[in-house]
Amino acid sequence: MFKKTALAVLFSVVLTVMLGTSAFAAEEGISPEIAEALAEIEEVNTEIYAEIAEAQAEADALYTEYLSEYAEETDAEKRTALTAEYDLKVNALIHKLDVKTQEMTRAGVAKATAAGVNVEVVWIPVQFADRVAMIDPIHVIDW
């Protein structure tokens, strides 16, 4: 019984040392270029999230205005026209954001790759008033 406990403790200590050593080695292996690239990726993602927040606020305002006008309107044709106009505005807003964030992501990925950082584009769902769209921040894989 004592042998099993001692073996389990020894195994745990060895495993902890192995995992801890690789983590410390990874932190020490960051060159200034990699650190700068990681900072730039974080900056790009921060800008993307700021653009998303701005577009979400604008979409919410459009949706609130649409609901107010829709509730006041009794004519079915005018309600249909209001819905079509709202859809056009929100879709244009989301498309504009999508194009802008894709360009930001493309530039960020190019800089990160040039610095030796492996990244991928991760599409995340973002809520815009009454709909969801996929937007693409950068995700670091390794360096």
Side-chain angles (χ1 to χ4, degrees):
M1 179 97 144
F2 178 71
K3 290 181 183 179
K4 288 183 183 179
T5 305
L7 185 60
V9 169
L10 179 63
F11 182 71
S12 298
V13 169
V14 168
L15 196 60
T16 303
V17 169
M18 285 180 12
L19 292 174
T21 305
S22 63
F24 290 124
E27 288 178 8
E28 292 174 5
I30 297 179
S31 68
E33 295 83 20
I34 299 290
E36 183 178 335
L38 292 173
E40 287 180 11
I41 290 168
E42 186 64 31
E43 184 179 321
V44 169
N45 281 341
T46 301
E47 290 175 15
I48 288 172
Y49 287 119
E51 292 292 332
I52 288 171
E54 186 178 316
Q56 284 176 319
E58 193 172 336
D60 287 343
L62 287 171
Y63 188 61
T64 302
E65 179 183 337
Y66 161 72
L67 289 177
S68 174
E69 291 176 1
Y70 190 86
E72 292 174 4
E73 191 58 59
T74 56
D75 185 25
E77 287 181 17
K78 289 184 180 180
R79 280 185 160 189
T80 303
L82 282 173
T83 302
E85 180 183 352
Y86 166 73
D87 284 340
L88 282 174
K89 286 180 181 178
V90 171
N91 289 338
L93 175 71
I94 292 171
H95 177 72
K96 180 181 173 184
L97 174 69
D98 187 37
V99 168
K100 187 172 189 172
T101 58
Q102 282 185 26
E103 184 58 38
M104 293 165 70
T105 300
R106 205 173 295 120
V109 167
K111 286 181 181 180
T113 303
V117 177
N118 292 328
V119 294
E120 67 180 353
V121 176
V122 178
W123 293 89
I124 60 168
V126 178
Q127 184 76 40
F128 294 96
D130 63 336
R131 60 196 71 200
V132 175
M134 301 299 280
I135 305 297
D136 57 342
I138 303 170
H139 176 73
V140 176
I141 298 172
D142 64 14
W143 54 87

